[in-house]
Amino acid sequence: MEKQVFDVSGMTCASCQAAVTRAVSKLDGVESADVSLLAQNMRVEYDPKLVNPAEIEKAVADAGYSATLQQAETGSSKPESAAQIWEDRSERIRKETEDKKKKLICSLILLAILLCFSMLPMLGVFSFFMDMEWMMADACIQMFLSTVILFIQRDFFTHGFKTLLHGSPNMDTLVAVGSSVSFIYGFYGLLTMAYGYGTMDHELIHSGMNALYFESAAMIVTLVSLGKYLEARSKSKTGDALAKLVSLAPKTAFVKRGDDFVEIPAEDVRAGDLVRIVPGASIPVDGTVVEGSGTLDQSAITGESMPVEKAIGDEVMSASTNLNGSFVMRATKVGSDTTLSQIISLVDEAGNSKAPIARLADKVSGVFVPVVLGISLVTLIGWLIAGHSIGFALNCAISVLVISCPCALGLATPLAIMVATGKAAQYGILVKSAGVLEELAKVNTVVLDKTGTITRGKPAVVSLTLFGDRYDADAFMTIAASAESGSEHPLAKAVLEEAKRKPQSVCGLGFQGLWRTRSGSYGERHFRSGRQPGIHERRTCSAR
């Protein structure tokens, strides 16, 4: 069996997700197909002897969507890290959100103007539009504004009717059908008015005016586009916790090129490259120390609070921070093979995987839209049989189409899963899959298999024990802080941080706290000496 990830475009609701899943699952050799509406991708496990990626892409295209193999899309031999893939997807979602926002704002402005022409005259404002000589002009303006709004929101019609023709209608189909029927009926009313003006039939003119539903067509797509925009914003925020994981990876690295080390993008590092790591820098890739030594904070990866000393021959992991020392490492794992990329992939895969309850929602969404279309048709026929006008019957049928949206059903569970797994990863808890997350509801006992794993990830002084009465605790802490003031070691920093928290007096000079000078060492601020505040000075105190 082989696993591949495909980017899928054109999906807008849970019914789209269900349609793509059905299309791919029907192929011989496909073991499983998990389609994520949030990530806009699909993870397929298949037998390469029975089916290939091209056939999978064709099956998705036949359903009315498009799919592209992720590796094929890069078109490069350069290994792309999970962080880079995630950032590309986040950028795509951000652009999608901005595009929806622009369309929504334009539609709202035009809709407000359209309502002034269609609704205000009925309330006595701009009532002259109800006069015979202005009715036709008012109707034409309404049709023009409605047409512009429908053009701005044309994605509903291209996606909706495309999927309908492929036999897999979705939420866009409901919106497209509802707004199209409203617009066509309004256009019929406009033609009726034109005929009435030609025959000077005032009753026919007023009848046609009452049949104008241009504002309904525009209102439908605008309100649904508001929901789409809010949905896109929700999708963009679900990855906030995952973004913090991605931010652990440095953007650049100092790699040896010729006789010098030059700064290049971290994604351009190749296996075998020599990378220089300076104090305070994060490690871009996995590798082995070949020169020098350092003290690494690996808490972001391992959860261990104590820094680890690394010397020649020791392995180092990406996203670790070099606290002290400088060394040169040889890259062994780059791109998607690094430890951080594997963690990001695991969290992302868990967020996009489906829990049993989500699979149930997919099944319901798959039959939801056809059922709604049927109910809408029955509603139309039922009101006509009951003796009501075609306008009233259309209003009722269109209402059924518009209010029936399975997106909440299909999005609520995936959103909850993605937020939960991302937030857990932020605190160092990795969840293998959505199914495991759902099973956690039954857990009543948590057992930790290693002492010291649940830590803050930063050494700190928690107590002070003196063996002798020569110094009290404050004096001893002052001496220890003075001795450690020039060190960058994590334990030395812990001593200095503790010294900062308490006022001390030693050698007859009162000082409060320690601070880092421009050179990186620590100095003392004196208040009794009469010096101006802000003067930095190092002072050695000998005990008598």
Side-chain angles (χ1 to χ4, degrees):
M1 286 297 190
E2 188 173 328
K3 289 184 179 181
Q4 294 286 0
V5 179
F6 296 80
D7 289 324
V8 182
S9 59
M11 295 191 300
T12 58
C13 67
S15 294
C16 303
Q17 176 180 313
V20 174
T21 303
R22 284 197 308 270
V24 176
S25 299
K26 290 178 181 178
L27 295 175
D28 292 334
V30 173
E31 181 70 20
S32 64
D34 282 337
V35 182
S36 172
L37 177 62
L38 294 174
Q40 294 285 298
N41 64 22
M42 171 179 61
R43 301 175 186 274
V44 184
E45 185 176 0
Y46 63 94
D47 186 349
K49 297 178 181 178
L50 300 176
V51 66
N52 57 52
E55 293 174 325
I56 295 175
E57 293 175 1
K58 184 179 183 301
V60 176
D62 291 340
Y65 308 90
S66 62
T68 307
L69 186 64
Q70 274 191 358
Q71 294 180 354
E73 185 180 14
T74 61
S76 171
S77 58
K78 182 172 70 173
E80 192 171 12
S81 65
Q84 185 63 40
I85 293 174
W86 185 89
E87 288 177 347
D88 292 342
R89 192 174 75 217
S90 298
E91 180 65 17
R92 185 176 69 247
I93 293 176
R94 187 191 66 79
K95 290 181 178 179
E96 175 189 339
T97 305
E98 287 297 318
D99 182 61
K100 290 183 183 298
K101 182 179 180 180
K102 292 177 182 177
K103 290 182 178 180
L104 176 62
I105 292 174
C106 293
S107 299
L108 286 173
I109 293 173
L110 292 174
L111 180 62
I113 299 173
L114 174 58
L115 292 177
C116 291
F117 285 95
S118 62
M119 294 295 160
L120 290 185
M122 300 179 185
L123 302 176
V125 183
F126 302 138
S127 57
F128 63 90
F129 280 119
M130 301 300 292
D131 298 337
M132 292 294 298
E133 59 269 24
W134 282 100
M135 278 189 179
M136 194 65 183
D138 183 32
C140 290
I141 292 174
Q142 290 185 45
M143 186 184 71
F144 172 75
L145 292 173
S146 177
T147 302
V148 175
I149 294 174
L150 295 183
F151 179 77
I152 293 174
Q153 301 291 349
R154 59 189 178 277
D155 288 345
F156 285 111
F157 303 93
T158 55
H159 293 157
F161 288 121
K162 181 181 178 181
T163 54
L164 181 61
L165 293 174
H166 285 85
S168 54
N170 59 13
M171 178 59 195
D172 286 351
T173 305
L174 301 181
V175 175
V177 171
S179 57
S180 296
V181 170
S182 297
F183 186 86
I184 292 172
Y185 189 68
F187 186 68
Y188 166 76
L190 183 63
L191 293 179
T192 302
M193 290 178 64
Y195 182 79
Y197 274 103
T199 59
M200 296 306 295
D201 186 341
H202 291 190
E203 184 178 351
L204 192 59
I205 294 173
H206 281 283
S207 175
M209 188 68 178
N210 292 331
L212 297 181
Y213 284 91
F214 293 123
E215 81 284 349
S216 297
M219 180 72 77
I220 290 171
V221 295
T222 302
L223 289 181
V224 176
S225 69
L226 173 61
K228 293 281 188 181
Y229 169 65
L230 296 176
E231 176 187 313
R233 283 188 59 190
S234 298
K235 288 197 295 185
S236 65
K237 290 182 178 180
T238 54
D240 287 348
L242 195 57
K244 294 183 179 180
L245 273 180
V246 175
S247 65
L248 294 174
K251 301 297 183 183
T252 60
F254 287 94
V255 179
K256 190 169 186 179
R257 294 289 185 261
D259 295 331
D260 299 321
F261 284 89
V262 297
E263 189 174 14
I264 66 172
E267 59 265 22
D268 291 339
V269 178
R270 298 289 176 270
D273 284 346
L274 295 178
V275 183
R276 172 180 289 172
I277 306 298
V278 297
S282 294
I283 297 177
V285 295
D286 293 4
T288 305
V289 178
V290 296
E291 179 183 331
S293 62
T295 304
L296 302 187
D297 177 6
Q298 301 180 147
S299 59
I301 302 298
T302 64
E304 295 291 349
S305 63
M306 291 300 294
V308 181
E309 301 286 346
K310 297 292 183 179
I312 296 176
D314 291 338
E315 294 183 353
V316 294
M317 295 182 292
S318 57
S320 301
T321 302
N322 183 29
L323 302 177
N324 188 27
S326 179
F327 60 90
V328 176
M329 57 173 281
R330 186 179 301 278
T332 55
K333 295 180 180 179
V334 299
S336 59
D337 295 329
T338 64
T339 302
L340 180 63
S341 289
Q342 294 293 327
I343 292 176
I344 294 173
S345 295
L346 178 62
V347 175
D348 193 26
E349 185 174 350
N352 292 329
S353 61
K354 286 188 175 62
I357 190 173
R359 296 184 187 276
L360 175 62
D362 287 347
K363 293 179 180 179
V364 174
S365 299
V367 298
F368 192 87
V369 175
V371 170
V372 169
L373 288 173
I375 294 174
S376 177
L377 182 60
V378 171
T379 301
L380 174 65
I381 297 173
W383 283 116
L384 289 176
I385 294 175
H388 288 271
S389 66
I390 180 67
F392 180 83
L394 277 175
N395 263 337
C396 296
I398 291 170
S399 298
V400 172
L401 293 176
V402 174
I403 66 173
S404 303
C405 177
C407 290
L409 177 67
L411 279 175
T413 302
L415 274 173
I417 292 171
M418 182 170 280
V419 171
T421 54
K423 197 67 177 176
Q426 182 181 338
Y427 290 103
I429 303 171
L430 300 182
V431 182
K432 186 176 182 181
S433 67
V436 173
L437 184 65
E438 186 173 334
E439 288 296 316
L440 281 177
K442 304 174 184 178
V443 172
N444 54 26
T445 304
V446 177
V447 179
L448 304 179
D449 66 345
K450 189 176 182 182
T451 304
T453 300
I454 310 301
T455 60
R456 296 180 58 189
K458 184 179 180 181
V461 176
V462 295
S463 63
L464 176 62
T465 302
L466 299 177
F467 298 93
D469 56 0
R470 184 175 181 182
Y471 305 109
D472 60 17
D474 288 345
F476 183 82
M477 180 57 68
T478 301
I479 296 172
S482 178
E484 298 288 2
S485 62
S487 174
E488 295 288 338
H489 194 278
L491 296 183
K493 291 183 179 180
V495 173
L496 293 169
E497 289 294 330
E498 178 67 17
K500 287 181 184 180
R501 283 193 284 270
K502 55 178 66 179
Q504 302 174 39
S505 178
V506 83
C507 295
L509 293 175
F511 66 91
Q512 187 173 11
L514 300 167
W515 72 93
R516 190 182 298 277
T517 63
R518 292 179 181 176
S519 62
S521 60
Y522 282 82
E524 303 162 359
R525 179 172 291 177
H526 295 263
F527 294 98
R528 295 185 186 174
S529 61
R531 297 183 178 88
Q532 294 295 325
I535 295 177
H536 295 178
E537 177 183 359
R538 287 200 62 188
R539 193 73 176 249
T540 303
C541 300
S542 57
R544 294 180 175 85

